[in-house]
Amino acid sequence: MAVIQMDRGVRRLEPWKIAVIVVSVIVGLALIIGLITFLLCHDQDRYYDASFLITNVDYNPQYERQTTDEFRNLSEDIETMISEVFRGSFLSKRYLRSHVVSLNPDPLGVLASVVLVFKFPSADSEAATWGQVNRVLLRRLKAISTNLNIDQSTITLTELNKEKGDNLLNNCCGIRRQTSSFTGVERITGGQHAREAEWPWQASIQLDGTHRCGASIISNTWLVTAAHCFRGVRDPRRWTASFGILLRPPKQKKFVRRIIVHERYGDLVVDHEYDVAVVELATPIEFTSDVHSVCLPEASHVFPDNSSCFVTGWGALENDGNSVNQLRQAEVRIISTEICNRRQVYGGAITAGMLCAGYLEGQVDACQGDSGGPLVHANSRGIWYLVGIVSWGDECGKPNKPGVYTRVTYYRNWIHSKTGI
Ligand code: 4AZ
């Protein structure tokens, strides 16, 4: 009897069943451990709005616009001060960046509103991390030496949800999500693949659904591009604009309401003067981290010769080549008009409304299909400005024949007169 029972018992615990049980237990444990580690170690961006009164600065109406020198200078001082507050604290590894979003008038000075971005483990409670940030802000703003007088009693810190934080930042021009630098060596006319959100202001202007030119987003309804893109076809009903780094599929697509080409751009003249146009969209773009505007420089701003800039586009990889589906980027340097007008370069063809960028040795350049697209430069706050609009050149990447761009500062007032921006 006992022997028979034992036999039955052995049959119930066949080896494959034991194996299944053991494997299930191991997989279950691994999943639980993985989930716990993920929750404990996974970092999450957290956003705060810090506002405070600066009492030793008088309000200036120029603070209304983010692109004025006055706004830039005061914002830079504030952001440097905030960085010092957190970089010198136990939150230094958690602090990512700060960005002044508005400077408002107050009878006692200037009321600043700053978005702060931190990286905290998702397991940390929101109340606890808010407390840490608030304590460091209050304590260290008092302790550090800065040329700004902050009224301590006015400091308020509000946690923003991701959507609100992203929204505030995406509505500021020229900001892009932090990305580590690309180390690939793949070449266009000397450039590289762009990644999502790296050049969120880049648009593609399409004729009957086919990419024709690049453009830059300057507000949720206006793009700026080159006049020559519309040579022959100015009917807005045939044009659309797409956004996102891929032409197919795009992140967003919009119909065009109106195309305003510079009135002095002559369709029959091939001298490249006045190569600027603005495009009004039929419906506003929904701003996201991947799609939003670039800053326009003030008319008086001077970008020094040799400044490092980036040109981006879906244009050809070589002269007379085809457009590509994924956006590409290339680093180029501003070349002085004096050098660019030398006999062996463009021999005097570069006028005050143009600027050259690239390398006299060639290789790295914009090309056909990049026209209308942005040439941008990041200032010391890491904010991107539109320096030029891809306009013309003698083929692509040839020695002594750098890319020629429409000089945005020269047409800044014209852009304002047409768009109000
Ligand atoms: C074009 O034909 C074009 N190398 C654009 C840029 C350059 C040359 C040609 C600059 O659209």
Side-chain angles (χ1 to χ4, degrees), residues 83-159:
S83 289
E84 217 179 301
V85 161
F86 291 104
R87 293 252 153 82
S89 79
F90 75 97
L91 290 178
S92 64
K93 290 218 165 65
R94 302 267 163 239
Y95 171 76
L96 291 182
R97 63 203 158 111
S98 58
H99 189 81
V100 174
V101 289
S102 67
L103 297 170
N104 294 304
D106 185 280
L108 299 175
V110 176
L111 204 52
S113 178
V114 191
V115 171
L116 311 179
V117 191
F118 287 80
K119 216 176 227 337
F120 281 113
S122 353
D124 289 7
S125 89
E126 285 178 7
T129 51
W130 177 88
Q132 291 175 354
V133 174
N134 197 40
R135 238 176 297 128
V136 169
L137 187 65
L138 291 175
R139 194 168 339 119
R140 287 200 34 94
L141 257 186
K142 225 183 291 176
I144 62 163
S145 72
T146 148
N147 52 2
L148 298 173
N149 280 350
I150 310 297
D151 180 344
Q152 296 284 320
S153 68
T154 61
I155 303 174
T156 59
L157 183 77
T158 317
E159 169 132 20

Side-chain angles (χ1 to χ4, degrees), residues 228 365-371 390-397 401-404:
H228 81 257
D365 198 4
C367 205
Q368 289 101 16
D370 292 322
S371 277
V390 179
S391 179
W392 63 279
D394 181 351
E395 299 188 4
C396 314
K401 304 293 171 195
V404 186

Side-chain angles (χ1 to χ4, degrees), residues 24-273:
S24 311
V25 169
I26 291 173
V27 168
L29 277 175
L31 277 177
I32 290 166
I33 291 169
L35 197 64
I36 291 171
T37 328
F38 178 78
L39 284 178
L40 287 180
C41 305
H42 180 67
D43 283 340
Q44 183 184 59
D45 285 357
R46 292 206 179 150
Y47 299 81
Y48 304 89
D49 178 75
S51 74
F52 44 80
L53 180 65
I54 304 166
T55 53
N56 64 335
V57 176
D58 289 331
Y59 185 77
N60 181 329
Q62 296 291 335
Y63 292 150
E64 243 170 71
R65 296 205 299 138
Q66 296 190 357
T67 50
T68 59
D69 283 344
E70 289 79 2
F71 187 101
R72 286 164 55 159
N73 291 340
L74 183 55
S75 298
E76 184 154 18
D77 288 349
I78 295 169
E79 288 162 9
T80 308
M81 174 184 78
I82 301 273
S83 289
E84 217 179 301
V85 161
F86 291 104
R87 293 252 153 82
S89 79
F90 75 97
L91 290 178
S92 64
K93 290 218 165 65
R94 302 267 163 239
Y95 171 76
L96 291 182
R97 63 203 158 111
S98 58
H99 189 81
V100 174
V101 289
S102 67
L103 297 170
N104 294 304
D106 185 280
L108 299 175
V110 176
L111 204 52
S113 178
V114 191
V115 171
L116 311 179
V117 191
F118 287 80
K119 216 176 227 337
F120 281 113
S122 353
D124 289 7
S125 89
E126 285 178 7
T129 51
W130 177 88
Q132 291 175 354
V133 174
N134 197 40
R135 238 176 297 128
V136 169
L137 187 65
L138 291 175
R139 194 168 339 119
R140 287 200 34 94
L141 257 186
K142 225 183 291 176
I144 62 163
S145 72
T146 148
N147 52 2
L148 298 173
N149 280 350
I150 310 297
D151 180 344
Q152 296 284 320
S153 68
T154 61
I155 303 174
T156 59
L157 183 77
T158 317
E159 169 132 20
L160 304 168
N161 63 28
K162 182 165 164 46
E163 194 189 337
K164 185 92 203 301
D166 273 342
N167 256 345
L168 274 173
L169 293 180
N170 292 338
N171 282 324
C172 296
C173 64
I175 292 189
R176 69 181 196 192
R177 202 194 281 155
Q178 232 70 343
T179 45
S180 52
S181 63
F182 184 82
T183 49
V185 287
E186 207 178 346
R187 309 183 73 80
I188 59 166
T189 306
Q192 299 154 350
H193 275 303
R195 286 169 308 160
E196 208 63 81
E198 257 187 309
W199 315 105
W201 40 82
Q202 172 86 50
S204 153
I205 301 259
Q206 309 186 347
L207 176 62
D208 300 330
T210 303
H211 171 83
R212 247 305 175 84
C213 268
S216 305
I217 303 173
I218 55 168
S219 84
N220 60 0
T221 45
W222 286 99
L223 312 179
V224 61
T225 184
H228 81 257
C229 297
F230 304 105
R231 216 179 265 154
V233 192
R234 287 197 191 177
D235 178 359
R237 287 168 300 186
R238 291 185 59 190
W239 294 89
T240 50
S242 85
F243 311 94
I245 59 165
L246 300 180
L247 291 179
R248 283 172 311 275
K251 289 264 172 186
Q252 291 184 51
K253 206 166 173 130
K254 296 286 170 194
F255 290 108
V256 168
R257 172 174 294 157
R258 202 152 46 121
I259 296 164
I260 306 174
V261 169
H262 197 291
E263 8 329 68
R264 299 188 67 180
Y265 178 78
D267 269 9
L268 300 174
V269 190
V270 215
D271 65 0
H272 315 293
E273 289 279 18

Side-chain angles (χ1 to χ4, degrees), residues 274-303:
Y274 306 104
D275 196 8
V276 60
V278 286
V279 172
E280 188 182 17
L281 302 173
T283 52
I285 303 166
E286 189 194 321
F287 278 178
T288 64
S289 303
D290 298 336
V291 182
H292 58 255
S293 62
V294 67
C295 298
L296 286 173
E298 300 283 290
S300 58
H301 193 85
V302 176
F303 294 98

